[in-house]
Amino acid sequence: MLRRWRTLGLLFAGSLLPSFSLAGPSFENTAIVRTIDLGGSLVHVSTTFAIKALEAGQTVYHVALTKGEKEQTSWIEARVKGVAKPLTITDLGADESGAAHMIEVALPTQVAVNGTLNLVLESVQTHATRPLPEHATQTDPQFLKYETNLFVLSPYDTLVQRTKVRSPSPNIVSHSTPDGVDDFAQDGAVTKSGATITYGPYHKVRASANVEFIAKHQQPISVHYHFDHPVLEVKNLERSVEISHWGANLNIEDKIHLYNSGPILKGHFSRLAYQSQSYFGRLPPHVLNRLTLHLPPGVTNTYYYDLNGNVSTSNLRATPSLPKASKANQYSILEMRPRYPLLGGWNYSFTLGFDTPLQDSASWDAVNGRYIVAIPVMTHIPGSVVNEAAVRVILPEGATDIEFSSPFPALASSVSTHISYLDTVGRPVVSFNYKDLTDKHTGMIYVSYKVPLSAHLRKPLAVGAAFFSLFVLGFTAKRVDLRLHKK
């Protein structure tokens, strides 16, 4: 009986280990510095944790996010300061109390007692700003408001922490001043210097990733600032990529639904005022009149049209085709002018397509007999966020043993069939769905597959069979006499 109770006690203690490991004194934060770079649709956040191990053999470090930060964060990466290679992170979900969202960071090596390490957590927030005022006339300036929480949550004690909010312009309308922080602040709760607002330093902050600390000390802070660029969102992006072995071509077509989420236009649009502002180079910041996109090297047959037809106000500066090893920083530049200026609250839907040589994106694995094709997830529009994206990769007819990998997790992925002209059984299609894509989501989708010889011959055989059928049909029709009265 005693042995049974001892076993049950050990099992109960083992079940509590994960909870204790998150709240236990395995680390201490000697300093936390959070830097927030404000923008339009995208806000970049970089948080540096100077940590010290209090127990031997530590291999993981836990980071806490507030509910708001978790909802707004679309990309996150952890690394050791000064090291480019990212660390492995694991999303643990919300803790038992629901006070914070926990993330586990795998450390590169075990940290000894009193060992120190500087971790950098970088993230991109989307839909974190809003225009204020929400409506503006054609000539009004544009102001945005950003809100976040004062304290960086952590399951460990922190000796000192501060938050720096950097605006793209020193023209800051207002910023909030926190209350009730006398227990932490020694040199003032907040200071402003040019375009930077600093909250803190706050000293001796106890473990804050719990309901008690959040209810007593956590509070929102906000910055109301001037922003000189359009606030762009791509509500929907549909990318269709078609691989052709017979044409040695890779065709990419994007259907883009662009939206200006700046202050909504108040009153009527004046073409005369717009032309006058454009002539003197004084267009309001919330008006979009042109786009500059980076396309792959070697692009040909570029086309750009909207719902009304072809748009000729574009200019392409193409870069010659380059080997894959030397094309990392090379691109073609496409300058586009929409059919009409895009003001706050306005939409613009258009289609952009182009061809590239297949040899620039594909390679042959002779050992396994497989083709490997690298396909960009999207063509990023500077300063924008893609709310929803669907990428379809159409493989050659007869492709088998299909394998694929995404540079970041997709909401969903599937394999289906697409039937086009002169197809017999259809072409395999690999589809991906994404959400809240940013400038950090411009990686490559890799698709590998096999194409047997019979599949390569299927297209010319189908073409030959079609022509032969037409010949037989014409030959037969010529000899059929449908006249009522014969000579």
Side-chain angles (χ1 to χ4, degrees):
M1 180 66 69
L2 180 60
R3 181 176 298 176
R4 175 188 292 180
W5 284 110
R6 182 179 299 172
T7 302
L8 292 175
L10 291 175
L11 291 175
F12 178 75
S15 65
L16 294 179
L17 283 178
S19 300
F20 291 157
S21 64
L22 292 180
S26 54
F27 284 100
E28 178 186 66
N29 300 314
T30 57
I32 296 179
V33 179
R34 177 177 56 170
T35 303
I36 302 174
D37 291 313
L38 299 178
S41 296
L42 307 179
V43 174
H44 292 75
V45 182
S46 177
T47 307
T48 301
F49 298 86
I51 64 177
K52 182 176 73 172
L54 304 181
E55 297 179 356
Q58 298 301 311
T59 58
V60 294
Y61 178 84
H62 293 93
V63 176
L65 300 177
T66 65
K67 293 181 179 179
E69 290 174 336
K70 174 57 182 175
E71 293 175 355
Q72 296 172 348
T73 300
S74 64
W75 178 87
I76 191 168
E77 183 181 83
R79 55 184 174 82
V80 177
K81 187 175 183 179
V83 180
K85 183 180 180 180
L87 302 175
T88 302
I89 61 176
T90 304
D91 193 335
L92 301 180
D95 62 357
E96 295 179 357
S97 63
H101 194 94
M102 305 305 300
I103 294 176
E104 183 181 86
V105 180
L107 302 179
T109 58
Q110 290 188 0
V111 183
V113 178
N114 295 327
T116 59
L117 195 66
N118 289 336
L119 294 180
V120 179
L121 189 74
E122 294 187 357
S123 62
V124 179
Q125 297 179 355
T126 60
H127 310 291
T129 63
R130 59 183 178 89
L132 189 69
E134 297 181 355
H135 295 77
T137 64
Q138 190 172 335
T139 58
D140 286 343
Q142 177 178 252
F143 296 96
L144 303 180
K145 187 174 183 180
Y146 173 78
E147 295 181 353
T148 187
N149 291 291
L150 176 62
F151 290 100
V152 178
L153 299 185
S154 177
Y156 315 108
D157 294 345
T158 303
L159 299 184
V160 59
Q161 74 164 259
R162 59 169 54 88
T163 296
K164 297 180 179 179
V165 183
R166 298 193 297 202
S167 169
S169 168
N171 186 5
I172 297 177
V173 180
S174 64
H175 63 275
S176 59
T177 301
D179 299 324
V181 293
D182 296 336
D183 296 339
F184 308 105
Q186 299 177 0
D187 303 323
V190 58
T191 57
K192 179 181 180 297
S193 177
T196 302
I197 301 172
T198 303
Y199 290 89
Y202 301 128
H203 301 270
K204 296 181 181 179
V205 181
R206 304 292 296 176
S208 54
N210 54 75
V211 176
E212 293 77 15
F213 182 92
I214 294 175
K216 185 176 180 181
H217 300 292
Q218 189 68 287
Q219 56 185 292
I221 57 175
S222 62
V223 179
H224 191 194
Y225 60 100
H226 183 251
F227 190 65
D228 273 336
H229 305 280
V231 184
L232 300 180
E233 293 183 13
V234 177
K235 286 189 173 182
N236 192 293
L237 167 65
E238 297 180 7
R239 164 159 286 198
S240 179
V241 182
E242 184 172 350
I243 301 173
S244 173
H245 282 209
W246 277 101
N249 183 65
L250 182 73
N251 174 261
I252 297 179
E253 182 178 277
D254 293 334
K255 295 182 179 179
I256 301 173
H257 183 186
L258 189 62
Y259 174 71
N260 188 337
S261 58
I264 299 175
L265 177 63
K266 182 169 59 176
H268 297 286
F269 171 69
S270 171
R271 173 65 68 172
L272 178 61
Y274 170 76
Q275 293 292 352
S276 175
Q277 294 168 340
S278 179
Y279 178 79
F280 291 103
R282 299 175 182 175
L283 282 177
H286 54 281
V287 176
L288 174 71
N289 66 334
R290 67 181 62 207
L291 287 173
T292 301
L293 305 180
H294 292 171
L295 304 184
V299 295
T300 57
N301 302 325
T302 304
Y303 55 92
Y304 161 43
Y305 63 88
D306 57 16
L307 298 178
N308 293 326
N310 184 57
V311 182
S312 59
T313 53
S314 60
N315 181 35
L316 174 65
R317 288 178 285 173
T319 299
S321 180
L322 297 171
K324 291 185 286 294
S326 59
K327 61 186 292 187
N329 297 321
Q330 301 291 329
Y331 45 80
S332 302
I333 297 177
L334 176 64
E335 297 175 348
M336 300 168 47
R337 294 179 63 91
R339 190 176 296 273
Y340 52 85
L342 198 63
L343 284 81
W346 288 18
N347 298 276
Y348 183 60
S349 299
F350 62 94
T351 299
L352 171 65
F354 52 88
D355 294 332
T356 60
L358 184 59
Q359 63 183 9
D360 292 356
S361 304
S363 58
W364 168 252
D365 183 2
V367 176
N368 299 312
R370 305 179 65 88
Y371 294 96
I372 303 174
V373 183
I375 299 148
V377 174
M378 65 173 179
T379 299
H380 180 64
I381 297 177
S384 69
V385 55
V386 180
N387 296 343
E388 295 181 357
V391 182
R392 300 171 66 247
V393 182
I394 304 174
L395 304 179
E397 188 176 22
T400 59
D401 298 334
I402 301 170
E403 297 178 359
F404 52 86
S405 65
S406 176
F408 42 86
L411 294 179
S413 59
S414 61
V415 179
S416 58
T417 302
H418 170 79
I419 299 178
S420 182
Y421 57 91
L422 295 178
D423 286 343
T424 54
V425 296
R427 310 181 191 185
V429 179
V430 182
S431 303
F432 302 87
N433 293 97
Y434 300 101
K435 181 181 179 181
D436 291 339
L437 300 183
T438 68
D439 54 346
K440 299 293 186 178
H441 296 94
T442 54
M444 293 286 184
I445 295 173
Y446 288 93
V447 181
S448 66
Y449 54 90
K450 294 181 179 180
V451 181
L453 179 61
S454 58
H456 281 297
L457 298 177
R458 186 174 297 168
K459 182 69 69 177
L461 291 177
V463 174
F467 276 104
F468 182 75
S469 300
L470 291 175
F471 175 77
V472 172
L473 180 62
F475 183 80
T476 305
K478 187 177 181 180
R479 284 158 175 74
V480 175
D481 191 357
L482 299 178
R483 292 175 297 179
L484 296 178
H485 302 284
K486 298 181 180 180
K487 293 182 180 180

